[in-house]
Amino acid sequence: MSSARGEYIQPWWTYWLHNFPHINLRFQPIDNTFQPEDANYQQSLIFLGCVAAAGLGLNLLCLAIYLSCLCCCRKEEEEESKRPNSCCVTWSAVAAGLITCVAVGVGFYGNSETNDGVYQLTYSLYNANHTLGGVDSLVTGTMGSMKSGLQMHLARLDEIFATRGDYVQTLQFMQQMADNVIKQLLGLPDWEDAKVDLAAIADQTAHVEYYRWLMYLLLLIVDLIICLLACLGLAKQSRWLLTTMMVFGVLTLVLSWTSLGADLATAVGTSDFCECPDKFILSQTKTFIGADIVHYYMYCNQTLANPFQQPLTIFQRSLTTMQIQIQGLLQFAVPLFPTAERDLLGIQHLLNSSEASLHQLTALLDCRGLNKDYLDAMVGVCYDGVEGLLYLCLFSTLAACAFTVMLCAIPRAWRQMACRERDYDDIDEEDPFNPRARRIGSQNPNLTNMHSFCSYSSSMGSQSSLHRPTPALTNAPMSEYMNHTALFGGNPRYENVPLIGRGSPPPSYSPSMRATYLSMTEEQRRHFGNDFQA
């Protein structure tokens, strides 16, 4: 595993993603060096998105084939085949729900990690921008005070010391020192361009990241809601809810594959940058900052010389020399020229403020501050950022699998619901043991007296042609008969008791046999009551 110099060490997942095949749209391999402005490199990232699009097409094709086979192939609808299908739908729904829950959990973690990495990047960019802005402000303020304030005081003193040539010569020497300070400050890099670029990058990155984080949050919530509503539709056997969830499931499947392609392309591109970030930074800053300065801030070790050491040393020496000259003039010239004291004190105050600015400038130009911002930005991008993108890729994959299983389970559940309704409609409406007939009978008492299967016009004979059933062995009440039977036989024999009040006929009766049985039972009950009264 290669690593950048300094404290930054490339993580293994960026090394793995960097070695992904980079192929352009003409199926030609290209260099995997991070070159975002190169057309072939852009095509290699687009190719990864096309791979995800091909996966989406293959997924939809498999779903279409499965649905076609499910609609065309009619299976035998037997009791033995219904239970396994129901279990298959149930376990499919359970698997889809569990996979969705795992995917949503992984997605939340990946989204948070990516957001943390981007936040760390933007925070480091803003810190570096603040440092460069402070350097630019100090340089501009010091140059302005040297050009305007110092020259104004020196011009007044030149008029006051006009009669003293040695004092005028001292003032000219101080003017040379001030010009030398300005020259050294002008030799420093112009940080204005770098500051503007960092601010623009930070603002644009924060803006894009906010909407990316929000869209993924909504996608995670929508995935969870769709899965819960689909499970609810399967439990309630609601067709309209299952149809709606199936449509949203297809849309979510498309979004899952789309996010997978976008995340994979972003992760590979970012890993290419993390493989060797110094080359890209050098190529972007070579127009306004020297390569030695960029190396100094990126690596910041003791072996590298400070490129600002010489101008800062000359700045310090010039200020010290000017302060010595001002001290001599205050000591020897003020007693002779009292009016010069005000301008000399003004120059002394200006030199003191310039020295304070020099110390602040030295601290800001030190490599440790900007190097820390650089390392924090690299850690945020290459560690948290790329790691979060990999988790988001895993989320998209799991979500696609979960919704594929759900889309396979819903049509099968719909078919089972249709089979159950068809079996329910085949039951005889006049069967008193049919739950629907019981509900109708309870709602309308007038329909409780069912007509007998043996009508007066039936070819099987009229009701008067039916033989009277054999009278009971005793005229005692039925309860007394039961007691006698239990006394002599040990157990009551229900087989000899007329089937009155029994909950249901033997299970082998067909609907027609049930109707015949009920009509005969009514006749037996009527004759049994007449014999009991006699």
Side-chain angles (χ1 to χ4, degrees), residues 115-340:
N115 184 257
D116 291 342
V118 175
Y119 174 78
Q120 191 170 354
L121 170 65
T122 56
Y123 184 78
S124 301
L125 291 177
Y126 283 129
N127 279 344
N129 183 70
H130 179 73
T131 301
L132 297 180
V135 171
D136 186 68
S137 177
L138 289 173
V139 171
T140 304
T142 303
M143 290 177 59
S145 62
M146 287 291 178
K147 288 181 178 180
S148 60
L150 183 62
Q151 288 181 357
M152 181 183 62
H153 290 297
L154 290 177
R156 291 176 182 176
L157 291 174
D158 189 61
E159 295 177 358
I160 295 173
F161 297 149
T163 58
R164 294 293 301 266
D166 52 346
Y167 293 161
V168 173
Q169 187 177 3
T170 301
L171 295 177
Q172 292 176 355
F173 180 73
M174 292 178 61
Q175 183 62 49
Q176 292 177 0
M177 293 293 102
D179 293 339
N180 195 17
V181 170
I182 294 173
K183 180 181 179 181
Q184 298 303 322
L185 293 176
L186 288 175
L188 296 177
D190 186 8
W191 301 104
E192 187 65 27
D193 294 337
K195 183 181 69 173
V196 172
D197 288 343
L198 290 179
I201 292 173
D203 292 337
Q204 185 177 4
T205 303
H207 182 74
V208 172
E209 170 58 21
Y210 171 75
Y211 286 103
R212 186 210 63 82
W213 175 84
L214 184 61
M215 286 190 296
Y216 263 102
L217 183 64
L218 294 177
L219 180 60
L220 292 169
I221 295 175
V222 167
D223 284 357
L224 190 59
I225 291 176
I226 290 176
C227 181
L228 292 177
L229 291 179
C231 293
L232 180 62
L234 290 174
K236 297 293 185 180
Q237 296 186 355
S238 175
R239 284 193 171 186
W240 69 269
L241 187 57
L242 290 177
T243 304
T244 305
M245 291 306 103
M246 192 169 182
V247 174
F248 280 102
V250 173
L251 295 178
T252 309
L253 185 64
V254 174
L255 290 178
S256 298
W257 280 101
T258 304
S259 64
L260 177 60
D263 292 336
L264 183 60
T266 306
V268 172
T270 308
S271 299
D272 293 339
F273 168 76
C274 295
E275 171 68 20
C276 193
D278 52 352
K279 292 184 179 180
F280 177 74
I281 295 176
L282 285 172
S283 65
Q284 296 296 314
T285 58
K286 63 183 180 181
T287 57
F288 52 89
I289 300 178
D292 56 339
I293 299 176
V294 177
H295 279 86
Y296 171 70
Y297 284 116
M298 283 197 302
Y299 305 138
C300 192
N301 51 35
Q302 299 298 328
T303 60
L304 294 175
N306 187 353
F308 307 108
Q309 185 66 41
Q310 183 178 357
L312 292 177
T313 301
I314 296 174
F315 188 5
Q316 176 67 45
R317 292 176 179 175
S318 299
L319 288 178
T320 303
T321 302
M322 294 171 68
Q323 287 176 348
I324 293 174
Q325 298 297 325
I326 290 297
Q327 288 291 338
L329 290 176
L330 285 173
Q331 184 178 358
F332 299 104
V334 170
L336 300 176
F337 302 96
T339 56

Side-chain angles (χ1 to χ4, degrees), residues 50-69:
C50 294
V51 171
L56 172 62
L58 183 61
N59 193 353
L60 294 177
L61 179 62
C62 293
L63 283 175
I65 294 174
Y66 172 80
L67 294 178
S68 300
C69 294

Side-chain angles (χ1 to χ4, degrees), residues 131 135 296-297 300 306 308 312 360-371:
T131 301
V135 171
Y296 171 70
Y297 284 116
C300 192
N306 187 353
F308 307 108
L312 292 177
Q360 296 179 11
L361 186 62
T362 303
L364 291 176
L365 290 176
D366 188 75
C367 67
R368 288 173 292 182
L370 288 177
N371 181 258

Side-chain angles (χ1 to χ4, degrees), residues 448-463:
T448 56
N449 296 326
M450 298 293 179
H451 293 287
S452 173
F453 176 79
C454 301
S455 60
Y456 289 97
S457 61
S458 175
S459 61
M460 297 178 64
S462 62
Q463 290 184 352

